[in-house]
Amino acid sequence: MRALQTERLVKQVKHTYENVVPYRKKMQEKGVEPGDITSIDDLSKLPFVNKDDLRDEYPHGFRAVPLEDCVRIQSTSGTTGRRVVAFYTQADVDLWDECCARAIVAAGGTKEDVVHVSYGYGLFTGGPGLNGGSHKVGSLTLPMSSGNTERQIQFMTDLESTILCCTPSYAAFLAEAIHEAGLIDRIKLKAGIFGAEAWSEEMRRNIEKNLRIKAYDIYGLTETSGPGVSFECEEQTGMHVNEDHFFAEIIDPDTGEALPEGSKGEIVFTSLTKQAFPLLRYRTRDICVLSRKECSCGRTLVKMAKPMGRTDDMLIIRGVNVFPSQIETVLLNQGYPANYLIILDRVNFTDTFEVQVEMTEEMFSDEVKFIEKKESELLAALRSMLGISPAVKLVAPRTIARSEGKAVRVVDKRKI
Amino acid sequence: MILEQISVFVENRAGAVADITQTLAEADIDIKALTLADTGDFGVLRLIVDAPKKALAVLKLAGSVASLTPVVVTSMGNEPGSVAKIARALADAGVSLEYIYAFVAREAGSAYAVIRVENAEAGDAVLLKAGYGEDFKL
Ligand SMILES: [Zn+2]
């Protein structure tokens, strides 16, 4: 594996240096040339890429092949300027499909299976990723997308879906709806592949019991391709990284120093094979541990633990990445004080998301409809910035702690 | 006649109205009329008081968001249809009504209406012409 990784890395560094101007600049600043990288062990000589680099170069800066060679884009949530657009050549789509296919096979999938994909389709990578993987396996693929629970259950029973792919919270929600409809005995599911948000072992056991399946975790991010960067096998003790395509390192998030196997730190990925959007040493901000302990499934691919937290303040709400700073930007733009409180909870397996905002003289009127108009303008601005809708609660002035020192901006009551 | 109504933002929590009226009571401000417009999400408390400017100052000092709005206050008959007659008089004159509420004065025992229109002077003139009196005393 290391020989293959070395061969691919050397080629990839050269490709990136020649075609991605911002990364070439980073290498030059660090005094590194493609010739300095002769082995996978030289990886730590290379500079990091972080999300801000990608945003600053929106949309084309990190694209490494001519547009005519690209066949697809996917994109992260967030508004213009905060978004990242990832490009794919046909080969990139193929390798992504291959990675997702491995996840489906690890969950017991074969061409005889019926794969029910209830991740969102569109710019979000969940739907397209598992859809492509399922095609590669040769399974019958149901491109359900998210929502419309009644139809989900109807197709699940009528077409006898055997593998469900969606977010864990949606799986829990579907399980409840199936029991309420009294249809559990007509469900043929045997496995589920659930990702894009944090979930606990307890939640896994609940889903497994309620849907009578085995539930597998999957990990990925749009910047590196989408789901399928790593996936779980039947041992359910961490996710095997597809390290022939994505090389994983653990670093100290403060010093950037690479840490030895078994250390807890930030997980960093280098895409070894992607052509259109080749990221070298991409900092995920996810806190994680890698392990090369032998796995009972026989796979020798390195395993990553379920991420244990973030090095930044990013929140994942209903599968969407939300930064508190985005909310602050909207409030300031709309003329509200930058003093706010985010309250998260999980009710009926769905995240609830409330933003408390202080009322001001300027926003106030004796007429309720005027205040409601202001409130709905704020809501629309938040929705367009975040990609999901919070509930806005107007509170009296100076009731939310000021921002001196470490203000508490997020109250997360979700038990996951 | 035109008076200054004080409007106060009320957040959706137990005791919010009590806090506001307590602040006014402590400043010796007499509430003549009061109505709460509530959306379930937040509310706006509207009051006619004997000293609106002082009320505004003490409420702001107490951390409330409040404002003064000119409204038309007029006496009206104490029988059914009184509010409808006022609303009709304004509508016929092309003055659109934002909101209206009624109260009974403690001393006189007669009924009054508080009327919010876009232009209080125009609304007041319409009602005077329609025979509504200038007789409310704070
Ligand atoms: Zn394994």
Side-chain angles (χ1 to χ4, degrees):
Chain A
M1 177 61 80
R2 285 190 88 77
L4 178 71
Q5 288 169 334
T6 290
E7 184 197 320
R8 288 180 168 177
L9 177 70
V10 170
K11 227 172 111 190
Q12 187 72 313
V13 171
K14 192 164 171 287
H15 169 59
T16 309
Y17 187 87
E18 282 167 6
N19 297 298
V20 180
V21 176
Y23 198 76
R24 177 159 72 226
K25 277 195 197 133
K26 273 178 177 277
M27 283 179 67
Q28 285 163 345
E29 276 162 23
K30 222 175 171 236
V32 196
E33 284 180 17
D36 299 333
I37 310 299
T38 58
S39 148
I40 193 80
D41 299 319
D42 295 326
L43 190 62
S44 60
K45 293 178 185 167
L46 290 169
F48 293 111
V49 176
N50 58 46
K51 198 162 193 151
D52 284 335
D53 295 327
L54 302 181
R55 286 174 180 148
D56 292 348
E57 296 295 336
Y58 171 92
H60 292 297
F62 272 81
R63 178 168 51 78
V65 300
L67 261 188
E68 68 213 51
D69 294 334
C70 297
V71 298
R72 171 95 69 81
I73 64 150
Q74 302 288 156
S75 174
T76 58
S77 55
T79 187
T80 318
R82 307 287 298 176
R83 231 175 242 150
V84 176
V85 170
F87 295 84
Y88 301 72
T89 63
Q90 186 56 51
D92 293 338
V93 174
D94 291 343
L95 82 86
W96 181 22
D97 289 352
E98 168 65 28
C99 289
C100 287
R102 290 179 192 174
I104 293 169
V105 169
T110 68
K111 67 188 290 292
E112 266 92 61
D113 279 293
V114 177
V115 177
H116 189 110
V117 184
S118 305
Y119 282 112
Y121 279 67
L123 290 172
F124 178 59
T125 54
L130 272 304
N131 191 92
S134 173
H135 276 226
K136 199 110 182 175
V137 174
S139 312
L140 175 64
T141 311
L142 311 191
M144 300 302 301
S145 200
S146 50
N148 200 337
T149 306
E150 205 178 314
R151 189 174 65 193
Q152 300 275 359
I153 298 172
Q154 194 192 342
F155 275 70
M156 214 176 265
T157 52
D158 293 352
L159 290 157
E160 306 192 339
S161 308
T162 56
I163 298 179
L164 171 64
C165 306
C166 60
T167 60
S169 55
Y170 195 55
F173 176 79
L174 278 174
E176 184 152 282
I178 288 165
H179 280 279
E180 265 171 28
L183 291 170
I184 188 64
D185 290 328
R186 292 188 52 205
I187 297 294
K188 299 285 194 295
L189 291 175
K190 63 175 190 189
I193 300 173
F194 306 128
E197 65 187 20
W199 53 312
S200 62
E201 276 308 306
E202 189 196 349
M203 193 168 176
R204 186 205 306 258
R205 298 299 157 228
N206 275 332
I207 294 171
E208 290 189 329
K209 189 171 114 258
N210 292 337
L211 284 177
R212 303 172 185 172
I213 61 170
K214 193 152 173 159
Y216 298 84
D217 206 351
I218 188 167
Y219 174 90
L221 45 170
T222 308
E223 292 84 347
T224 54
S225 67
V229 169
S230 63
F231 60 93
E232 236 174 16
C233 63
E234 69 265 19
E235 207 185 87
Q236 295 179 317
T237 54
M239 295 174 277
H240 287 289
V241 178
N242 279 312
E243 57 179 331
D244 48 340
H245 295 293
F246 304 101
F247 188 85
E249 298 171 88
I250 295 286
I251 63 157
D252 179 327
D254 298 323
T255 64
E257 193 193 336
L259 299 175
E261 187 204 322
S263 315
K264 191 167 154 182
E266 181 178 342
I267 190 160
V268 171
F269 285 105
T270 295
S271 62
L272 297 172
T273 48
K274 280 187 67 182
Q275 299 173 335
F277 207 65
L279 298 186
L280 302 178
R281 303 197 89 198
Y282 182 69
R283 295 189 62 159
T284 62
R285 304 282 173 194
D286 283 324
I287 300 289
C288 209
V289 175
L290 287 176
S291 162
R292 287 207 173 270
K293 267 196 217 110
E294 207 173 299
C295 187
S296 63
C297 76
R299 286 179 186 81
T300 54
L301 299 168
V302 68
K303 280 206 286 200
M304 61 179 273
K306 194 187 272 295
M308 302 152 189
R310 303 271 309 165
T311 65
D312 57 16
D313 55 358
M314 187 180 89
L315 303 165
I316 302 180
I317 308 171
R318 290 178 223 141
V320 175
N321 300 346
V322 171
F323 290 90
S325 58
Q326 294 174 291
I327 292 169
E328 195 167 316
T329 306
V330 172
L331 291 177
L332 290 171
N333 286 344
Q334 299 283 317
Y336 288 89
N339 227 32
Y340 61 92
L341 191 63
I342 298 167
I343 299 185
L344 301 174
D345 206 342
R346 193 165 278 180
V347 179
N348 291 329
F349 310 108
T350 305
D351 292 340
T352 61
F353 173 22
E354 178 181 282
V355 180
Q356 293 192 352
V357 183
E358 287 184 353
M359 191 67 189
T360 64
E361 301 279 335
E362 293 72 36
M363 298 302 145
F364 183 64
S365 161
D366 65 310
E367 292 183 66
V368 169
K369 68 179 181 210
F370 175 89
I371 302 175
E372 284 183 326
K373 185 168 160 275
K374 289 278 176 197
E375 202 180 7
S376 63
E377 282 168 10
L378 174 62
L379 199 61
L382 284 169
R383 186 164 47 228
S384 94
M385 171 70 94
L386 305 174
I388 55 170
S389 269
V392 169
K393 186 182 180 191
L394 296 170
V395 299
R398 287 172 292 278
T399 50
I400 299 172
R402 300 285 110 182
S403 55
E404 305 105 43
K406 253 196 172 165
V408 178
R409 288 274 165 261
V410 181
V411 177
D412 196 341
K413 302 183 200 163
R414 293 178 293 184
K415 289 182 188 69
I416 43 181
Chain B
M1 70 188 300
I2 296 171
L3 290 177
E4 297 241 78
Q5 169 192 269
I6 183 154
S7 311
V8 193
F9 173 72
V10 182
E11 66 177 331
N12 183 9
R13 77 173 159 82
V17 172
D19 290 350
I20 293 164
T21 46
Q22 179 71 26
T23 300
L24 294 174
E26 279 164 12
D28 245 347
I29 287 163
D30 189 19
I31 298 171
K32 302 288 179 188
L34 167 155
T35 180
L36 178 67
D38 185 20
T39 67
D41 188 21
F42 64 88
V44 177
L45 191 64
R46 298 160 183 152
L47 309 116
I48 300 295
V49 298
D50 58 351
K53 288 203 167 59
K54 184 179 167 196
L56 183 70
V58 297
L59 285 170
K60 284 194 175 178
L61 208 63
S64 290
V65 178
S67 65
L68 295 177
T69 318
V71 290
V72 182
V73 178
T74 182
S75 62
M76 59 179 190
N78 226 341
E79 67 284 340
S82 306
V83 174
K85 272 188 209 156
I86 290 175
R88 174 58 57 201
L90 289 167
D92 287 347
V95 177
S96 78
L97 195 66
E98 303 293 349
Y99 55 81
I100 181 166
Y101 55 99
F103 66 98
V104 175
R106 269 173 304 218
E107 300 81 6
S110 51
Y112 295 89
V114 179
I115 303 143
R116 168 76 156 97
V117 291
E118 199 183 302
N119 183 338
E121 277 167 28
D124 195 39
V126 168
L127 291 179
L128 282 176
K129 221 168 131 192
Y132 287 92
E134 272 276 8
D135 51 359
F136 179 71
K137 294 278 177 294
L138 274 176

